[in-house]
Amino acid sequence: MFGYRVPAPDEAMLISGGRRGLGGAPFRVVTGHGKFVLPIFRKTRFLTLAMCESEVTETCVTKQGIALSVRAVIAFKVGNDTESIVNAGQRFLSDQDQMSVLTGRIFAGHLRAIIGSMTVEEIVTERQKLAAEVLDTSKSEMAKIGLIVDSLQIQSIDDGDTGYIEAMSAPHKAAIQRQAQIAQAQATQASVEAEQVAARNQAEYARQTAVVKAEYSAEVDRAQAQAAQAGPLAQAHAQQEVLAAQTELALRQAELRQQQLVAEIVKPAEAEAERIRVLAVADAERMKIQAEAAASYDRVALDRMLIDQLPQIVKEAAGGLAGANVNVLNGADGLGEIAAGLVGQGLTILDSVRQNLSGSGQGQDRREDSAKSALPELPSYPGGSGKPAEDASAGERAPRPRSGEGPVTLD
């Protein structure tokens, strides 16, 4: 639009003409926005706010009297505030390149002053300290002309032909060279050690490779040997299995034959032996029973025989009374007593014979002989005739029996 002006982002628009709104400033400052400017009545100029650079190369004398050539670079610009823009506009608006020249001169003076108060060692070793002191001393002067310094860099310090800095650096150079030599020696030693380690590793690798190859070769040889022996070994294993099967079959046949022998010979023999034993036991039991029966029969027969002989025994006992002159005092009772005595004597003889036979355990003939030998002789009476003697003490003979009464006999 005609009469409307807008400054660039890194510029300040200075409007001169008119008196309203100036506030004592020779011109109006506009930054960041546009402004309508009456042509003819107002005049517009632009002041750069961009970063500027100034180089300073100055020969300075140190505190020790040694001349040093110092090269520095200053980065600066016009301040963003209105006062700085007004100060810079009044000084550099017509020739803005003079800002770099004036800034270089200002810093050269301050640089000479500060280096003059320092030694070479301090300057060389404390460059940042040198730059900070120069900035501090020049800040007020730069503010007066509307400039601010962003940075100051000491790029180089040279003592020319004096060789002071080089001499000062000699010990350090020597130390550095020594350290370099040491480092080189260490590097060489490390290299040699590395080579030795590499050689050992190579030798170890070669050894391991040879061992592995030997193991592989041995394994291949074993495999080939096993492959070569596989056939005979398989045949031998097969024959061994056949022999084992035949042996097991023979053992089973032997066990079967043993079982057959046991079934055919041992068991029948045992059964026959058991039968014979049972028969022998039965026969012995039978003989025992027969012997017991025979003994029982013999006793019964002997008792029967004795009972059968009892009348004869009594008869024989009574025979001794035949023809005897027996006085019977009490008649029939006396005769009964005589008969009972004869019978009791026979029974006593019978019991004696039974006891003798039961204690001896001999046969029937021996029992009969014992019975006969056990019979006592009949008592003999005085006179030798077997008749009872007359009672002499009676003083008279016993009366003879009456007619019809004869001697008493027992049939």
Side-chain angles (χ1 to χ4, degrees):
M1 181 180 292
F2 181 76
Y4 191 81
R5 307 296 295 272
V6 179
D10 58 346
E11 289 180 340
M13 185 172 63
L14 306 180
I15 303 173
S16 61
R19 294 185 179 181
R20 291 184 305 175
L22 296 180
F27 44 79
R28 184 179 299 167
V29 178
V30 178
T31 57
H33 60 87
K35 187 73 173 175
F36 184 79
V37 180
L38 290 175
I40 303 172
F41 297 101
R42 303 283 187 272
K43 187 175 182 180
T44 304
R45 303 288 295 272
F46 294 93
L47 178 67
T48 180
L49 302 179
M51 179 67 66
C52 299
E53 178 181 305
S54 176
E55 290 187 1
V56 176
T57 302
E58 190 70 21
T59 302
C60 305
V61 179
T62 65
K63 182 180 179 180
Q64 300 163 321
I66 299 173
L68 297 178
S69 177
V70 179
R71 183 173 178 271
V73 176
I74 303 100
F76 66 96
K77 66 181 290 293
V78 178
N80 294 326
D81 59 297
T82 302
E83 183 179 0
S84 297
I85 294 173
V86 170
N87 292 333
Q90 289 178 341
R91 290 170 176 82
F92 307 109
L93 185 58
S94 60
D95 188 4
Q96 298 184 22
D97 293 335
Q98 289 296 320
M99 288 189 296
S100 298
V101 176
L102 182 59
T103 300
R105 290 175 181 176
I106 292 172
F107 273 89
H110 290 288
L111 190 63
R112 284 194 301 269
I114 293 173
I115 289 177
S117 64
M118 299 176 65
T119 62
V120 178
E121 289 80 5
E122 291 175 348
I123 295 171
V124 172
T125 59
E126 298 179 3
R127 292 189 180 186
Q128 192 63 31
K129 179 181 177 180
L130 173 62
E133 290 184 0
V134 172
L135 285 175
D136 290 339
T137 55
S138 61
K139 184 180 298 183
S140 60
E141 292 184 14
M142 294 292 290
K144 289 179 181 179
I145 60 176
L147 302 177
I148 58 175
V149 179
D150 288 339
S151 67
L152 170 63
Q153 296 292 330
I154 306 297
Q155 291 185 341
S156 64
I157 299 173
D158 187 13
D159 60 350
D161 297 334
T162 59
Y164 185 90
I165 296 177
E166 184 177 358
M168 183 179 66
S169 64
H172 300 285
K173 289 182 178 180
I176 292 173
Q177 291 177 357
R178 183 174 60 255
Q179 292 177 358
Q181 292 175 356
I182 292 173
Q184 182 64 34
Q186 291 177 352
T188 304
Q189 181 179 0
S191 176
V192 173
E193 291 178 355
E195 291 179 357
Q196 293 177 355
V197 171
R200 285 195 299 269
N201 292 335
Q202 291 178 358
E204 180 66 19
Y205 180 77
R207 185 186 68 81
Q208 292 179 357
T209 303
V211 171
V212 172
K213 287 183 178 179
E215 291 178 354
Y216 286 163
S217 179
E219 186 174 357
V220 170
D221 294 340
R222 284 195 300 270
Q224 291 178 354
Q226 290 177 358
Q229 296 176 358
L233 286 175
Q235 185 177 0
H237 286 305
Q239 292 178 357
Q240 185 176 2
E241 292 178 356
V242 170
L243 291 176
Q246 292 178 353
T247 302
E248 185 177 1
L249 179 61
L251 291 175
R252 291 184 177 178
Q253 291 178 352
E255 292 177 356
L256 180 61
R257 181 58 182 165
Q258 182 179 4
Q259 294 177 357
Q260 291 177 354
L261 291 176
V262 170
E264 294 175 358
I265 298 176
V266 176
K267 294 297 182 181
E270 292 179 353
E272 182 64 21
E274 183 65 18
R275 186 183 67 81
I276 293 173
R277 187 184 66 80
V278 172
L279 291 176
V281 172
D283 189 50
E285 188 68 22
R286 181 180 60 79
M287 292 178 66
K288 180 180 179 181
I289 294 172
Q290 289 178 357
E292 292 177 355
S296 176
Y297 176 77
D298 290 342
R299 286 194 298 271
V300 172
L302 180 59
D303 292 341
R304 186 176 183 82
M305 182 188 69
L306 293 177
I307 293 171
D308 292 340
Q309 294 294 328
L310 181 60
Q312 184 65 29
I313 294 171
V314 175
K315 184 178 180 180
E316 291 294 332
L321 298 177
N325 188 9
V326 179
N327 297 321
V328 179
L329 298 180
N330 52 357
D333 295 332
L335 290 175
E337 293 176 357
I338 293 173
L342 292 175
V343 174
Q345 187 176 7
L347 292 175
T348 301
I349 295 171
L350 180 61
D351 291 336
S352 177
V353 172
R354 285 177 177 175
Q355 291 177 1
N356 290 332
L357 289 176
S358 63
S360 63
Q362 297 178 356
Q364 182 178 359
D365 295 337
R366 187 172 181 179
R367 291 193 183 96
E368 292 178 357
D369 293 341
S370 299
K372 290 180 182 181
S373 62
L375 294 175
E377 295 182 358
L378 294 176
S380 59
Y381 296 93
S385 60
K387 299 179 180 179
E390 297 181 354
D391 190 3
S393 63
E396 59 181 355
R397 293 183 178 273
R400 294 185 179 276
R402 298 177 181 178
S403 59
E405 295 178 356
V408 179
T409 61
L410 298 174
D411 294 333

